[in-house]
Amino acid sequence: MIRHYLFPVILLFLTSGCFFKSDKTGAADGIICEYLYTDSAGQVLIAHEKVFHATSKSTGNGFTRISGFTNTRLSAYDVKDGHLLVRIVFGGESDDACMLLGLTGNQLWCIRKNGQVAIQTIDPRTLQVKATADQLLRQASFLEEHLANPEWYQLPQFFGYDVGRGVILSDDQGFRYALNPATLQVTKLTDVNYQLPPLQDGGITGQRAIYNDSVVLRLEGNPRNHLVTEPGSRSPENDPGFLKGSFLIDRNISRLQQMQTGQLQEVRSLINQQKSMVDSLQSLADSLRRNKTGANIRSMENTIRDMQNRIDDLVRKAGRITPNRRGNTDRLLQTAPDNFFILQASNTNKDAGLRLSLVQWAPGQPLRIHWQNNLTGLFFDASNARETNAFKEVFSGGNPEFTFRWADITQQKLLLTWMLHTTCIDVPTGKVVWQIKH
């Protein structure tokens, strides 16, 4: 008889008579968020992890019910080789909540709720508290005792991080404030339409993404997806197709902001140059017209009109570049202008593995797959793979959640978090440097 489970719990875990799992050394059952920190000593991957503790189980009518609670912990891993540097354990989500807001410089901003909400910063390498609320709110002491104090699961509605404004706080009257991480100056927000940015977006894959300022790429087809370009819809030469393929998307907010700010400055500079040329030509045309020199003024006026149209196009382009906000189209995760990553299934089976490809392509050029790698222990679709023996061999205990995914590029290394594993891949060769199971 096929047994159905109300919760996705592995058989070995259910048949064990012991429910104890160590928050310090036990395997994580979920990841809330991750950050990459760099200092003179190297790089650290910080993961906010969840550990589920089952307290009882009951079986009936073909269903197994598990009840329990979840504690969270903060882990710091050395990016050089993946080993655990330090780990601190928080309490349960409902009575000792921790919400990471963002990483600025050498401070990891955090909201803690243990009865009352408080703000603090944590050292990204040691995970020790760096600054407490009385230090951080010195210029706005009125907030210290009057921060909003919602239920733990409502914290993201009241607190967050905005790359352009800083740490966002709410008081018990519902007013919002921006705390500058560098100066600790606090400013009240007056924009009635302001919305808190999401803390971290777990959607690191997409079917459509920006390749550069003029080209957008899409993956189309079923079951094999082929690369097509916008404008136009022709697939490049040598495109083999990618089974259920999707692009890896860049979710590094600071990097995107820096890139968009640079693009905006460049476009504005072009607008100013074009305007200066139009003004000079218009002044010359007006002078020739007044002096009745007989010069071909109509040709100059046509040139001015064409240049004004280019200015209008640049103004529209500038309007589409909005630093600090996620646009309607995602950007590819890239280490160079002509390469990007595609994730795909290794085959059509339920337990299909995750295959990663580094693709090289430029407009007008044939597509080249620089390398492909089947990542060990990772399944393309965890929900389909759960009932397979291969899945049970990898996840032989716990109550794993696989909704969180994360990817970033650093020093020619790709860090990919998928199914509670983080894999470090050397970008030039495609070889796995290390892999850890959280």
Side-chain angles (χ1 to χ4, degrees):
M1 180 183 71
I2 298 176
R3 184 176 299 276
H4 301 281
Y5 295 95
L6 188 61
F7 294 106
V9 182
I10 308 306
L11 287 175
L12 182 60
F13 174 75
L14 294 177
T15 55
S16 171
C18 178
F19 290 105
F20 174 77
K21 177 190 279 193
S22 169
D23 287 319
K24 195 77 171 179
T25 61
D29 295 290
I31 300 175
I32 301 170
C33 62
E34 286 184 334
Y35 293 95
L36 181 62
Y37 170 67
T38 302
D39 62 13
S40 59
Q43 292 184 297
V44 179
L45 175 66
I46 303 158
H48 190 189
E49 302 165 340
K50 298 194 291 186
V51 181
F52 177 74
H53 295 273
T55 55
S56 65
K57 69 174 184 286
S58 60
T59 304
N61 299 323
F63 294 96
T64 297
R65 294 172 173 82
I66 300 293
S67 60
F69 61 93
T70 298
N71 289 344
T72 70
R73 68 191 186 194
L74 210 54
S75 302
Y77 302 92
D78 193 330
V79 172
K80 183 178 180 180
D81 56 14
H83 82 273
L84 180 67
L85 292 170
V86 64
R87 174 174 285 159
I88 59 171
V89 176
F90 304 120
E93 289 180 308
S94 59
D95 51 27
D96 187 16
C98 168
M99 185 177 75
L100 301 184
L101 302 179
L103 178 63
T104 64
N106 63 350
Q107 295 196 102
L108 185 63
W109 292 80
C110 173
I111 289 291
R112 295 293 303 275
K113 178 177 170 61
N114 190 344
Q116 186 68 33
V117 160
I119 186 172
Q120 60 183 214
T121 60
I122 297 173
D123 186 296
R125 183 170 285 277
T126 67
L127 303 186
Q128 297 300 307
V129 174
K130 283 180 67 75
T132 56
D134 58 335
Q135 298 168 297
L136 299 172
L137 298 177
R138 190 171 296 155
Q139 299 184 48
S141 56
F142 63 91
L143 278 178
E144 189 173 347
E145 300 296 328
H146 293 282
L147 287 175
N149 193 37
E151 296 297 322
W152 66 272
Y153 53 84
Q154 295 176 317
L155 288 173
Q157 300 175 30
F158 293 85
F159 304 95
Y161 180 71
D162 187 317
V163 174
R165 299 174 185 260
V167 178
I168 306 300
L169 307 173
S170 297
D171 67 12
D172 54 14
Q173 298 299 306
F175 294 107
R176 283 194 173 130
Y177 302 83
L179 170 63
N180 186 307
T183 65
L184 301 184
Q185 182 178 357
V186 175
T187 305
K188 189 174 183 179
L189 301 184
T190 58
D191 183 356
V192 295
N193 296 316
Y194 179 77
Q195 293 184 348
L196 272 170
L199 290 176
Q200 277 198 351
D201 192 332
I204 61 170
T205 60
Q207 301 298 119
R208 185 173 184 268
I210 294 174
Y211 174 81
N212 59 28
D213 289 343
S214 58
V215 177
V216 174
L217 299 182
R218 288 183 289 121
L219 285 168
E220 289 187 349
N222 185 28
R224 296 191 71 85
N225 303 125
H226 292 268
L227 196 69
V228 296
T229 61
E230 299 177 4
S233 58
R234 296 178 59 184
S235 294
E237 184 182 350
N238 298 339
D239 179 4
F242 303 88
L243 182 59
K244 301 179 181 179
S246 59
F247 300 115
L248 262 187
I249 302 301
D250 196 342
R251 295 295 186 218
N252 187 310
I253 301 299
S254 296
R255 181 167 56 235
L256 292 174
Q257 181 207 21
Q258 184 178 12
M259 176 177 59
Q260 290 176 318
T261 300
Q263 290 175 334
L264 192 58
Q265 290 174 347
E266 183 178 348
V267 172
R268 286 173 175 168
S269 177
L270 288 173
I271 291 173
N272 291 334
Q273 291 175 17
Q274 294 285 315
K275 284 183 175 180
S276 178
M277 294 173 63
V278 166
D279 290 343
S280 297
L281 283 175
Q282 188 64 62
S283 177
L284 178 59
D286 292 342
S287 176
L288 293 174
R289 188 180 294 108
R290 285 194 304 269
N291 295 327
K292 299 180 181 180
T293 61
N296 189 357
I297 299 176
R298 178 174 296 180
S299 177
M300 296 181 65
E301 290 177 338
N302 290 337
T303 300
I304 292 171
R305 189 181 303 110
D306 291 341
M307 293 179 69
Q308 188 60 55
N309 289 336
R310 286 198 291 272
I311 291 174
D312 293 341
D313 290 339
L314 288 170
V315 169
R316 284 190 289 270
K317 182 177 181 179
R320 293 192 295 268
I321 301 174
T322 310
N324 315 326
R325 285 187 190 173
R326 179 180 167 188
N328 295 326
T329 304
D330 296 314
R331 287 191 170 270
L332 293 167
L333 184 63
Q334 297 176 280
T335 56
D338 63 345
N339 71 30
F340 47 92
F341 300 95
I342 294 180
L343 292 177
Q344 68 177 99
S346 61
N347 53 55
T348 58
N349 299 334
K350 291 179 66 175
D351 60 351
L354 182 67
R355 177 175 296 168
L356 175 67
S357 302
L358 177 63
V359 175
Q360 290 185 309
W361 175 81
Q365 299 297 316
L367 183 145
R368 179 192 173 198
I369 297 179
H370 188 58
W371 52 254
Q372 287 188 327
N373 194 331
N374 293 334
L375 301 182
T376 304
L378 303 184
F379 300 93
F380 178 77
D381 187 340
S383 59
N384 277 336
R386 280 186 182 277
E387 296 305 316
T388 65
N389 290 330
F391 181 95
K392 294 171 184 177
E393 289 175 6
V394 177
F395 298 95
S396 58
N399 185 28
E401 299 176 1
F402 302 123
T403 54
F404 179 81
R405 298 171 180 177
W406 179 86
D408 206 350
I409 290 287
T410 174
Q411 300 177 357
Q412 289 297 303
K413 299 291 189 295
L414 170 66
L415 297 178
L416 174 66
T417 298
W418 189 281
M419 290 186 67
L420 300 179
H421 289 71
T422 296
T423 306
C424 177
I425 301 162
D426 181 65
V427 173
T429 65
K431 294 181 179 179
V432 173
V433 181
W434 52 260
Q435 185 183 77
I436 59 172
K437 183 181 178 184
H438 289 267

